[in-house]
Amino acid sequence: MGPTVDAPSCALPSRPYRLADRAVSPSGTTVTVGDVTFGGSHVVVMAGPCAVESRDQLLQTARAVRAAGARVLRGGAFKPRTSPYDFQGLGRDALELLAEARAETGLLIVTEVMDSLDVELVARYADILQIGSRNMSAYRLLERAAGTGKPILLKRGFQSTIREWLLSAEYILAHGNSRVLLCERGIRTFDAEFTRNTLDLNAVPVLKQETHLPVIVDPSHGTGRADLVPTMARAAVAAGADGLLIEVHCDPASALCDGKQSISTEAFGSLMGELRRLGPFLGRAVA
Ligand SMILES: [Mn+2]
């Protein structure tokens, strides 16, 4: 007999994201906000403009997405733009308009908080706080947002691995806030000729194994192209996503932000019809 060698362990390597670990809740966690539940039998659709631009723009879009079956209205008040000369958002005025749209339509509000200094302000208006892709690793911001007790939509950093993303979620969970939604929104790859980002749908089944948290897909930023959004939205639902985040504008050609990837209210209505028909084949209802 030669020297003894330890047999390779077949056990999974221990996961560093202790609270996000699927083992904590093997059947998955649901996150309930108002009358909307993420992670259950329904695929929840969140829709609206990239940025709140005006009262008319927001209300017109909100009414249309509500009529088509969306449950949550998205709309940026504080916009992290690549150029400091681009439209930066209407700030507090946008939050007031979002509140007005909620009062009229009954839609819940998801909007981004970009800076620790704005957390309390945004939390006074939002039903769900969004942490944007650029801020996924802003750990103090994550903790401040977690401390509000509001549900957090955590977008994946466009240059972040799934492990890094789950560890960012762990910051929120470890700070005592268990209501985290993970949102895949595309990552930067070598091929940006035809698409703005590469939508990583691999992440959906990977996350379903690794974590109990609900998984959302954003096909708008994931592709950067309105014409690709319906296809990738259907693909996301087929892959097992618990929700979708879609940019919709009442007049995409005039949008101040992300017009190329924003679908019209009419296209959104058609997409919702397709998703509703597709859902039963996948064991999900779409709402
Ligand atoms: Mn956008």
Side-chain angles (χ1 to χ4, degrees):
M1 275 199 30
T4 52
V5 177
D6 288 339
S9 169
C10 293
L12 287 169
S14 64
R15 290 164 172 160
Y17 28 92
R18 300 176 200 172
L19 300 171
D21 191 324
R22 183 86 189 176
V24 171
S25 180
S27 59
T29 290
T30 57
V31 170
T32 297
V33 194
D35 60 350
V36 174
T37 296
F38 295 87
S41 57
H42 281 64
V43 176
V44 178
V45 179
M46 298 177 271
C50 179
V52 177
E53 299 169 9
S54 70
R55 188 169 181 275
D56 278 355
Q57 173 247 17
L58 185 68
L59 290 178
Q60 202 179 323
T61 307
R63 289 175 194 132
V65 299
R66 178 72 185 121
R71 303 298 305 278
V72 181
L73 177 66
R74 62 149 295 146
F78 298 92
K79 298 302 301 176
R81 304 304 300 280
T82 303
S83 165
Y85 307 117
D86 287 341
F87 177 60
Q88 302 289 310
L90 298 177
R92 186 187 291 259
D93 291 345
L95 296 173
E96 288 287 346
L97 292 172
L98 287 165
E100 184 181 343
R102 170 175 51 204
E104 185 191 309
T105 63
L107 290 163
L108 299 174
I109 300 299
V110 58
T111 194
E112 177 170 354
V113 58
M114 235 175 79
D115 192 298
S116 288
L117 297 173
D118 300 324
V119 167
E120 278 70 34
L121 172 67
V122 178
R124 282 206 292 276
Y125 292 87
D127 298 292
I128 303 170
L129 291 177
Q130 176 177 320
I131 301 292
S133 183
R134 289 168 182 77
N135 279 324
M136 186 205 84
S137 306
Y139 302 122
R140 298 293 86 79
L141 173 62
L142 297 180
E143 289 176 350
R144 287 286 289 273
T148 65
K150 294 275 180 176
I152 311 285
L153 179 86
L154 179 64
K155 289 203 150 193
R156 179 181 184 178
F158 55 81
Q159 304 189 89
S160 300
T161 66
I162 293 173
R163 179 180 293 265
E164 289 162 348
W165 185 16
L166 285 167
L167 283 165
S168 283
E170 193 75 13
Y171 268 92
I172 300 168
L173 297 169
H175 214 72
N177 187 331
S178 61
R179 293 194 292 170
V180 180
L181 307 168
L182 297 166
C183 182
E184 163 62 36
R185 48 80 70 206
I187 51 177
R188 187 168 284 180
T189 67
F190 64 88
D191 193 348
E193 184 180 356
F194 297 105
T195 53
R196 177 177 177 184
N197 290 293
T198 296
L199 183 64
D200 182 13
L201 285 184
N202 292 346
V204 178
V206 168
L207 290 169
K208 287 291 167 188
Q209 291 181 30
E210 293 297 308
T211 181
H212 54 88
L213 298 170
V215 179
I216 312 299
V217 170
D218 170 354
S220 306
H221 293 86
T223 62
R225 286 175 48 171
D227 62 327
L228 302 185
V229 166
T231 306
M232 298 315 287
R234 293 193 298 268
V237 174
D242 298 299
L244 295 169
L245 183 66
I246 299 176
E247 288 190 338
V248 179
H249 197 288
C250 54
D251 180 16
S254 74
L256 296 179
C257 182
D258 286 351
K260 287 199 191 90
Q261 67 193 37
S262 298
I263 61 174
S264 66
T265 51
E266 294 78 14
F268 180 71
S270 303
L271 172 59
M272 289 298 286
E274 291 168 11
L275 293 174
R276 267 195 291 272
R277 288 191 292 279
L278 181 64
F281 294 100
L282 301 164
R284 306 296 287 275
V286 177

